[in-house]
Amino acid sequence: MRHDLAGPGLTTPSPVGGRRTRVADDSLRRISVAATGGARMQPNPPQLGFPQQGQPPLRGGPVALPGRPRPRANAVAAMIAASLALLAAAMLCWFALHDVVYALGSADRWSSLVLQNVIGGVGGAGALVVLAGFTFARMIPGAWTLCGLCVLYVVVTLFVSPLLRGISVRDQFTFVFGFERSNGIAIALAVIFSVLTAITAAVAGAVKSYKPTSAGPPRP
């Protein structure tokens, strides 16, 4: 007579049933591997500048990358040079407007000298305004170009123009700095502001400030 060692109400695991369970698990594992093509799911590699999945984003601005800083013109000198250039441009417009009003009085007053003064005054004022904008943006080439233009204008007004007209340089200085008529006051102030603009623009281009370069997406 055979006795059950497990006792009443208890069952012992069958070796045949355990073997069947392991075979079924192996079959399911093989089916899942075949369905995925034998590839295993792996996390994406971390990318430079972006937080990984599951990590909170870092606070702060863009990441500063090491590199050569970009030189810019001096801020104070560039602002002063741009302001003086605008004043010089206003004086040139005043000088050209005076000749226009003078020429409108009679049809015979539109001489070559008057046309030269009007075209030169308007063109010079426009060039000063454009270069003043580049200088205000603290661009070193703009500051040096503004300095060169102002020096050229002063040299042409005081020395080249009297030679082309056949008058002495002394008479030209008397006309420019005599402050006698409206156009004389305008041209004198234009020369003075041009000299000051050339000096401050040269200082803005020579005294550089460096701004570090930065790259990377902004972070919240």
Side-chain angles (χ1 to χ4, degrees):
M1 183 176 181
R2 184 179 179 181
H3 297 279
D4 194 354
L5 298 177
L10 300 176
T11 58
T12 58
S14 176
V16 178
R19 188 180 302 108
R20 291 179 179 178
T21 303
R22 288 194 299 271
V23 171
D25 293 339
D26 294 338
S27 300
L28 291 177
R29 188 179 299 106
R30 292 174 183 176
I31 293 174
S32 61
V33 171
T36 57
R40 297 182 178 179
M41 300 300 294
Q42 298 180 357
N44 295 329
Q47 299 181 2
L48 181 61
F50 295 90
Q52 301 182 11
Q53 296 181 358
Q55 295 182 358
L58 300 177
R59 297 183 179 272
V63 180
L65 298 180
R68 185 176 182 181
R70 181 179 58 184
R72 301 184 67 182
N74 184 265
V76 178
M79 186 178 300
I80 296 175
S83 302
L84 292 173
L86 294 179
L87 291 176
M91 296 302 103
L92 290 178
C93 291
W94 179 8
F95 178 76
L97 181 61
H98 176 273
D99 284 1
V100 169
V101 174
Y102 172 80
L104 290 178
S106 175
D108 298 336
R109 294 182 178 180
W110 282 101
S111 61
S112 60
L113 180 59
V114 173
L115 290 176
Q116 180 182 355
N117 291 337
V118 172
I119 296 175
V122 175
L128 286 176
V129 170
V130 173
L131 292 177
F134 285 110
T135 305
F136 188 79
R138 300 178 61 186
M139 299 180 63
I140 296 178
W144 283 114
T145 306
L146 179 62
C147 175
L149 179 62
C150 292
V151 171
L152 178 63
Y153 170 74
V154 172
V155 171
V156 169
T157 302
L158 297 180
F159 301 100
V160 178
S161 180
L163 295 178
L164 295 177
R165 297 178 183 178
I167 61 177
S168 62
V169 177
R170 181 178 180 180
D171 294 339
Q172 182 71 6
F173 270 81
T174 302
F175 165 73
V176 171
F177 299 105
F179 294 95
E180 295 180 357
R181 295 179 297 178
S182 178
N183 58 346
I185 296 175
I187 197 67
L189 292 178
V191 170
I192 293 173
F193 286 138
S194 296
V195 172
L196 296 177
T197 302
I199 295 174
T200 53
V203 173
V207 182
K208 303 175 184 179
S209 61
Y210 293 90
K211 178 180 180 181
T213 57
S214 60
R219 297 174 179 176

